[in-house]
C-alpha cells in the first residue's frame, strides 16, 4: 500500500472515505463549530419560549426547529467537507447560477412577511432566503474566476468577478438588503486582495461603496432611519438596540443566571439578530468571550492551514469563506453593542434560522474541505503544471 507523508498526517491510498476524512479534516475547527451550535441550542432554550408563547406554540417549538435545521446543517457540512475540492468547485459554480436566478426572481415570486423587504420565498411549512445561499457559492465562483485569470491564456476572471459582484449587489439593494450586499463586496475584495490586486482598484471599490451608501441614504427611508438611529447621541429606549445594550450592561461578568434574563420578553428578534444580548444578560461577559474565542479560533486555524496551500483556487476560496463567516459574526455582535448600525444579520451557527443555518453549514463544509490536509506534491511539479508544462 502506498503511503504519502504530508505534515504530520499519513494519507493512505485505498483508505475508506470516513477514516480518511477524520485523519485529514481540521478537527479543531470542527470542534469550534460544534461548540457554537451547542451554545446556540442552549441560548434557544432561554430566548425562544417568549416568542413561542406569543405565537401560540409549545414553549420549545423553536428550539426543536433549530435542532432540526441544525442537524441538517451539520449533515450537509460533513458531506461537503468529504468531497474533493474539484467537486466542491463544480457544485459551487452550478449553485451560484441557481442562487443568482433565485435572487433575481424574488420581486416576482418572493414575499416580505410584513418586514418591508422582499427577501424570502414562502414554502408553506418554512421560508427560504436565497441570499444566504448565494454568499458561499459566490465566493467559490469569484475565487474560480480570479484563480483562472492567473493562468497563462486564462480568461479575464478578475473583471468578470467584479461585474458579477456589482450585479449581485444591485439585486440585493433592490430588496433592499444592504447588509448582505456589503458582505458580497467584502468577500470579493478579500479574494481580489489575496490574489495580489492593485490597491488602487480596492480604493475605487471602497469609493463606489461610499457613493452607494449616500444614494441609499437619500432614497431609502428604511436605510436612512437606521443610519440616523446609529448616529444619534440619544438612543430611543423603546428600540431593540436600547433593549440589547441594556441587557448586555446588566449581565455583567457572570450574568443574571439561566432563565433570569428579561430582554427576551421585550426583544422580538432575541432568538435571531440579538441572540448575543441574551447570552450576555443570562451568562455574562464570560460566555460572550467564549463565543468570540470560538470564531477567532476558526479564523486563525483556517488561515494558518490555507497559508500552506499551493492551489490558488483553494487558497482564495478558503480565505473568502472564513472572512465571510467571521465578518458576519462581527457585524451581528457589533450591532448589539452599537458599534454598527442596526442590520438584520444572524450570528452563524448560534442564531435561529433555517436558511441561515443550512447555508452556513454549506459554507463551513466548503471551508473544511479546502483546509483538509492533502498531499501537495513538489513545488517544482506544481509550478510546472500551472504553467502548462513548459
Amino acid at each position: 500500500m502506498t503511503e504519502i507523508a504530508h505534515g504530520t498526517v499519513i494519507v493512505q491510498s485505498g483508505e475508506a472515505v470516513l477514516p480518511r476524512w477524520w485523519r485529514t479534516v481540521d478537527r479543531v475547527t470542527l470542534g469550534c463549530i460544534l461548540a457554537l451550535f451547542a451554545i446556540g441550542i442552549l441560548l434557544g432554550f432561554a430566548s425562544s419560549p417568549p416568542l413561542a408563547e406569543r405565537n401560540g406554540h409549545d414553549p420549545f417549538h423553536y428550539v426543536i426547529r433549530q435542532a432540526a435545521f441544525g442537524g441538517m446543517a451539520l449533515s450537509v457540512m460533513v458531506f461537503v467537507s468529504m468531497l474533493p475540492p474539484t467537486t466542491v468547485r463544480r457544485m459551487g459554480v452550478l449553485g451560484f447560477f441557481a442562487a443568482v436566478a433565485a435572487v433575481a426572481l424574488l420581486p416576482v415570486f418572493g414575499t416580505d412577511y410584513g418586514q418591508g423587504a422582499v427577501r424570502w420565498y414562502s414554502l408553506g411549512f418554512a421560508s427560504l432566503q436565497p441570499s444566504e445561499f448565494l454568499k458561499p457559492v459566490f465566493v467559490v465562483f469569484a475565487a474560480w474566476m480570479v484563480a483562472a485569470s492567473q493562468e497563462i491564456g486564462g480568461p479575464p476572471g478578475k473583471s468578470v468577478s467584479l461585474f458579477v459582484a456589482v450585479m449581485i449587489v444591485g439585486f440585493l439593494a433592490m430588496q433592499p438588503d444592504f447588509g448582505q450586499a456589503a458582505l458580497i463586496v467584502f468577500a470579493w475584495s478579500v479574494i481580489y486582495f489575496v490574489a495580489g490586486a492593485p490597491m488602487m482598484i480596492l480604493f475605487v471599490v471602497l469609493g463606489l461603496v461610499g457613493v452607494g451608501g449616500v444614494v441609499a441614504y437619500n432614497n431609502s427611508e428604511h436605510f436612512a432611519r437606521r443610519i440616523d438611529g446609529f448616529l444619534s447621541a440619544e438612543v430611543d429606549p423603546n428600540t431593540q438596540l436600547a433593549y440589547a445594550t441594556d441587557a448586555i450592561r446588566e449581565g455583567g461578568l457572570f450574568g443574571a443566571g439561566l432563565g433570569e434574563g428579561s430582554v427576551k420578553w421585550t426583544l422580538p428578534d432575541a432568538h435571531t439578530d440579538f441572540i448575543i444580548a441574551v447570552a450576555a444578560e443570562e451568562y455574562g461577559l464570560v460566555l460572550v468571550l467564549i463565543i468570540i474565542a470560538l470564531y477567532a479560533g476558526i479564523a486563525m486555524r483556517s488561515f494558518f492551514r490555507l497559508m500552506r496551500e499551493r492551489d490558488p483556487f483553494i487558497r482564495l476560496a478558503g480565505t473568502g469563506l472564513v472572512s465571510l463567516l467571521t465578518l458576519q459574526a462581527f457585524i451581528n455582535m457589533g450591532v448589539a453593542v452599537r458599534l454598527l448600525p442596526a442590520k438584520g444579520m444572524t450570528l452563524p451557527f448560534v442564531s435561529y434560522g433555517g436558511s441561515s443555518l443550512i447555508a452556513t453549514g454549506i459554507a463551513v463544509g466548503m471551508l473544511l474541505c479546502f483546509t483538509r490536509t492533502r498531499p501537495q506534491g513538489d513545488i517544482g511539479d506544481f509550478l510546472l503544471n500551472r504553467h502548462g508544462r513548459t
Side-chain angles (χ1 to χ4, degrees), residues 292-349:
I292 294 173
L294 290 172
Y295 286 116
I298 293 170
M300 297 304 294
R301 287 284 301 186
S302 300
F303 285 139
F304 282 137
R305 292 172 80 94
L306 289 167
M307 285 172 60
R308 301 195 300 265
E309 181 58 54
R310 293 174 184 164
D311 188 314
F313 163 74
I314 293 177
R315 188 168 59 249
L316 294 175
T319 303
L321 288 168
V322 70
S323 300
L324 195 68
L325 179 77
T326 51
L327 178 67
Q328 182 168 333
F330 172 77
I331 291 175
N332 177 278
M333 291 185 280
V335 167
V337 296
R338 207 167 174 249
L339 286 175
L340 296 170
K343 176 65 200 81
M345 194 171 291
T346 58
L347 189 59
F349 272 114

Side-chain angles (χ1 to χ4, degrees), residues 90-334:
R90 291 170 180 168
M91 292 176 61
V93 171
L94 292 176
F96 167 75
F97 289 111
V100 169
V103 170
L105 292 173
L106 274 172
V108 181
F109 301 106
T111 181
D112 63 355
Y113 287 106
Q115 298 190 30
V118 182
R119 302 175 184 173
W120 299 272
Y121 287 107
S122 176
L123 305 180
F125 61 92
S127 61
L128 177 69
Q129 187 175 355
S131 61
E132 292 285 355
F133 297 91
L134 177 60
K135 292 180 295 185
V137 292
F138 167 76
V139 168
V140 171
F141 176 82
W144 175 51
M145 284 284 96
V146 173
S149 71
Q150 297 176 344
E151 301 286 343
I152 295 178
K158 293 180 179 178
S159 300
V160 172
S161 66
L162 175 59
F163 172 78
V164 169
V166 171
M167 178 188 67
I168 292 171
V169 168
F171 284 143
L172 294 175
M174 287 189 300
Q175 295 183 5
D177 192 346
F178 299 109
Q180 303 287 17
L183 287 178
I184 291 293
V185 172
F186 176 78
W188 180 86
S189 300
V190 167
I191 292 171
Y192 205 60
F193 175 78
V194 173
M199 291 300 295
M200 183 57 66
I201 299 295
L202 297 180
F203 285 132
V204 170
V205 171
L206 184 61
L208 292 175
V209 170
V211 172
V214 172
V215 172
Y217 181 85
N218 291 325
N219 293 276
S220 172
E221 181 182 349
H222 175 75
F223 184 79
R225 185 170 59 251
R226 291 195 169 187
I227 296 297
D228 290 340
F230 172 70
L231 296 177
S232 174
E234 300 293 332
V235 181
D236 185 344
N238 296 317
T239 61
Q240 295 202 84
L241 277 177
Y243 293 137
T245 52
D246 288 344
I248 293 171
R249 184 169 52 249
E250 293 296 326
L253 184 60
F254 298 106
L258 177 61
E260 298 299 321
S262 60
V263 71
K264 58 195 175 186
W265 296 99
T266 53
L267 266 175
D269 296 328
H271 62 310
T272 54
D273 302 348
F274 290 95
I275 190 72
I276 199 69
V278 177
E281 185 181 33
E282 299 207 355
Y283 297 97
L285 179 63
V286 172
L287 182 59
V288 175
L289 291 177
I290 290 174
I291 293 173
I292 294 173
L294 290 172
Y295 286 116
I298 293 170
M300 297 304 294
R301 287 284 301 186
S302 300
F303 285 139
F304 282 137
R305 292 172 80 94
L306 289 167
M307 285 172 60
R308 301 195 300 265
E309 181 58 54
R310 293 174 184 164
D311 188 314
F313 163 74
I314 293 177
R315 188 168 59 249
L316 294 175
T319 303
L321 288 168
V322 70
S323 300
L324 195 68
L325 179 77
T326 51
L327 178 67
Q328 182 168 333
F330 172 77
I331 291 175
N332 177 278
M333 291 185 280

Side-chain angles (χ1 to χ4, degrees), residues 342-376:
K343 176 65 200 81
M345 194 171 291
T346 58
L347 189 59
F349 272 114
V350 178
S351 296
Y352 171 85
S355 295
S356 175
L357 273 170
I358 295 174
T360 304
I362 294 173
V364 175
M366 291 175 172
L367 178 62
L368 289 171
C369 168
F370 296 147
T371 57
R372 283 176 61 183
T373 304
R374 61 179 60 84
Q376 299 283 336

Side-chain angles (χ1 to χ4, degrees), residues 71-83:
M72 288 188 284
L74 294 176
S75 299
V76 170
M77 179 189 75
V78 172
F79 172 75
V80 172
S81 69
M82 289 182 173
L83 299 174

